[in-house]
Amino acid sequence: MSVVKSCIKICLLTALSSSSFLSHGASNSELPPLLEISQARLNSSQHNGTQLNDEYALELSSSSWLSGLPSIGLSYLGSLDNGNSYEQEVSLNLPLKSLGLRSSDKQLKQLTQSIQGQQIALQGLYISGLLRQSIWDHRIASMKLMQLDRKIKLLEKLHTQQKILTDVGELPLANQLLLERELVDIELEQINLKQQQAEALSLFSQLTGRHEMPTKIDESSRPIFDAHSSTLTAFNTALAQHPLWQLQTLQQQQQLLVIKSQQAGERDPWTLSLTAKNTKDDQLDDQQLGLGITVPLGFSSALSQSELSTWQQAHSEQNLNRDRIYLQLTTQTEKLAKQQQKLLDQQVLLKRGLSLSRTITEELAKVKEQNQISYEIWLRRYMDALDTESRLVLNQVTQQQLHSQQLQALGISL
């Protein structure tokens, strides 16, 4: 049974090399530059595709003083009784913005700029989510493949040893076939993992133009909440900075400012008229220049019921949308926090289980007799130890992934 002893030595050497997988990770993230690269690529692609529309949008502007286009009025009046008597008039009418409208327009311009800034931030958050998804899917698939490779190498060496024993009649053929079946199941799992790895790399390449994944992707050093505040207070503070929440708030402010301006009649222009008039008959030839202004009187609301109803409906939809966003973000954050706590609880048990499995394996290696039954028991215990170690490694990586998902849920970009 010297062959069995040599197999035991091989397995123990494999166990000694397994500790390197538990120390995998990095503290410094390489992700922020990737976000800038992805945004630059996306903006460049959009600019090339919609260049004419962008140029037209840049030409759009609003007058600081006029609320509409100037108009020219021409009139001619001739007498029915005296053919030599007539009156003609030319007027230039300028629709001026009221002081209230100019103030509202200034506020609207600032709000529009803020909305555009939040839309850019929301774009960055969306791209961050895609980047995080691709790199963590690739990392987890890679870790699983690495651990399956370790298991395959062990099973292949064991298969070689068992084939020798089967050929000389010391082991039944069923043992060898069971190992071959395990290898087939692992290869099937490898196919799915390699597909997941390829899909993640493809998404990453589309976003960044790069074909190699970064190695330093751990964001655990970035805090999620302020440690000195309560969970609810910290969540509300983080929510207030979320680009989607801020965008929703700014859009509501924009709608409210517009409707208040309409209600106050600020949208109705002050009309300044410059008039030139000529009156002529047999005895008179009179030329006059005049200046006039028309100012709307704000005695009541300038809104129609139709306009008011439309705004009330839009305002209600905005409030419902805010509630929906709040509930979605709250639910998602709580769900991720519970998953994180579950992984922490599992990690404690997995460490304990791994320690027990290794101790059992060592004890069985000391006391087992040189026969196939005790060897099979030892082998199964050793394989259980490998599986427990793999689960522990994946648990640690999944905790890092969940931390990134929590940052994403709170609107924190790379």
Side-chain angles (χ1 to χ4, degrees):
M1 298 297 291
S2 60
V3 174
V4 175
K5 292 182 178 179
S6 64
C7 185
I8 293 174
K9 292 181 180 179
I10 293 173
C11 293
L12 291 175
L13 288 174
T14 306
L16 291 175
S17 64
S18 64
S19 60
S20 60
F21 291 88
L22 294 175
S23 61
H24 188 278
S27 59
N28 297 325
S29 175
E30 298 177 356
L31 303 182
L34 295 178
L35 175 59
E36 297 178 2
I37 293 172
S38 300
Q39 285 182 306
R41 281 172 55 85
L42 179 61
N43 293 335
S44 176
S45 175
Q46 291 179 342
H47 180 73
N48 293 334
T50 59
Q51 185 174 3
L52 294 177
N53 292 335
D54 289 342
E55 291 178 354
Y56 179 71
L58 292 175
E59 294 175 358
L60 298 177
S61 61
S62 174
S63 173
S64 300
W65 291 95
L66 298 179
S67 64
L69 295 177
S71 62
I72 295 179
L74 301 174
S75 65
Y76 176 85
L77 296 175
S79 175
L80 297 178
D81 299 328
N82 184 358
N84 296 326
S85 175
Y86 64 86
E87 180 179 293
Q88 54 189 7
E89 181 177 305
V90 178
S91 63
L92 174 63
N93 306 306
L94 302 175
L96 301 178
K97 291 183 177 180
S98 65
L99 297 178
L101 182 57
R102 292 191 64 202
S103 177
S104 297
D105 283 355
K106 184 178 180 180
Q107 296 179 54
L108 279 176
K109 186 176 181 180
Q110 294 174 347
L111 281 175
T112 301
Q113 292 174 347
S114 299
I115 288 174
Q116 291 175 346
Q118 291 305 316
Q119 288 172 338
I120 294 175
L122 199 59
Q123 179 203 59
L125 181 62
Y126 177 71
I127 297 176
S128 295
L130 293 177
L131 285 171
R132 283 167 169 152
Q133 175 188 340
S134 64
I135 61 176
W136 283 112
D137 285 350
H138 189 276
R139 172 60 60 85
I140 290 177
S142 300
M143 295 295 294
K144 289 181 178 179
L145 285 171
M146 290 168 61
Q147 291 157 19
L148 288 179
D149 286 340
R150 295 170 60 208
K151 197 170 183 179
I152 284 178
K153 290 177 181 179
L154 174 63
L155 290 175
E156 286 178 345
K157 291 176 181 179
L158 187 58
H159 180 268
T160 301
Q161 306 301 332
Q162 287 199 354
K163 187 176 186 306
I164 296 174
L165 296 176
T166 301
D167 292 342
V168 298
E170 295 187 18
L171 280 180
L173 181 60
N175 290 41
Q176 180 181 340
L177 296 177
L178 286 174
L179 279 179
E180 292 178 358
R181 175 57 191 271
E182 286 189 53
L183 287 169
V184 170
D185 291 339
I186 291 177
E187 289 174 358
L188 288 173
E189 189 175 354
Q190 279 182 319
I191 292 176
N192 294 330
L193 290 173
K194 287 179 180 179
Q195 180 181 0
Q196 177 182 336
Q197 193 180 45
E199 290 175 354
L201 182 58
S202 175
L203 175 59
F204 180 80
S205 299
Q206 290 178 4
L207 293 171
T208 64
R210 299 185 177 184
H211 302 284
E212 292 184 1
M213 284 287 180
T215 57
K216 299 178 180 180
I217 62 174
D218 185 12
E219 297 183 88
S220 300
S221 59
R222 302 180 64 183
I224 297 177
F225 292 130
D226 184 2
H228 301 289
S229 58
S230 65
T231 303
L232 182 59
T233 302
F235 173 77
N236 290 332
T237 301
L239 178 63
Q241 304 300 321
H242 197 292
L244 186 59
W245 184 265
Q246 289 195 350
L247 179 62
Q248 184 76 15
T249 302
L250 290 171
Q251 288 176 340
Q252 278 193 299
Q253 293 177 3
Q254 186 183 51
Q255 285 188 344
L256 183 60
L257 183 60
V258 170
I259 198 67
K260 284 185 174 180
S261 177
Q262 291 177 348
Q263 184 180 26
E266 295 173 352
R267 298 287 164 179
D268 297 329
W270 294 14
T271 304
L272 178 65
S273 300
L274 303 176
T275 305
K277 182 177 180 181
N278 176 229
T279 302
K280 185 176 182 181
D281 55 21
D282 294 335
Q283 300 178 354
L284 177 67
D285 187 358
D286 185 24
Q287 295 181 353
Q288 298 176 346
L289 292 176
L291 178 66
I293 185 169
T294 303
V295 179
L297 300 178
F299 289 121
S300 62
S301 174
L303 287 175
S304 66
Q305 185 58 44
S306 175
E307 292 172 330
L308 182 60
S309 299
T310 300
W311 178 83
Q312 288 174 337
Q313 181 180 356
H315 184 68
S316 298
E317 291 176 354
Q318 288 278 9
N319 285 334
L320 288 174
N321 197 27
R322 279 173 62 88
D323 294 340
R324 183 166 55 250
I325 291 173
Y326 180 83
L327 291 175
Q328 286 177 349
L329 294 177
T330 303
T331 302
Q332 186 178 11
T333 304
E334 290 179 354
K335 180 180 178 181
L336 291 173
K338 290 179 180 178
Q339 290 179 359
Q340 189 75 276
Q341 185 59 47
K342 182 188 73 172
L343 291 176
L344 290 173
D345 295 339
Q346 288 178 345
Q347 183 178 2
V348 175
L349 295 176
L350 286 171
K351 286 182 177 180
R352 182 182 175 189
L354 179 60
S355 177
L356 290 172
S357 296
R358 287 177 172 174
T359 303
I360 292 172
T361 302
E362 292 172 0
E363 292 300 319
L364 288 175
K366 293 177 182 178
V367 301
K368 72 177 188 301
E369 299 176 354
Q370 301 298 318
N371 60 66
Q372 182 58 31
I373 296 178
S374 60
Y375 172 73
E376 289 292 340
I377 294 175
W378 175 85
L379 175 64
R380 285 302 137 191
R381 292 297 93 198
Y382 181 77
M383 298 296 291
D384 288 343
L386 279 183
D387 290 338
T388 304
E389 181 184 339
S390 298
R391 291 180 61 189
L392 179 59
V393 173
L394 290 174
N395 183 283
Q396 294 170 343
V397 175
T398 306
Q399 287 184 51
Q400 297 173 3
Q401 180 191 28
L402 272 177
H403 189 89
S404 294
Q405 290 176 348
Q406 287 176 300
L407 292 173
Q408 181 70 25
L410 292 174
I412 303 175
S413 301
L414 295 175

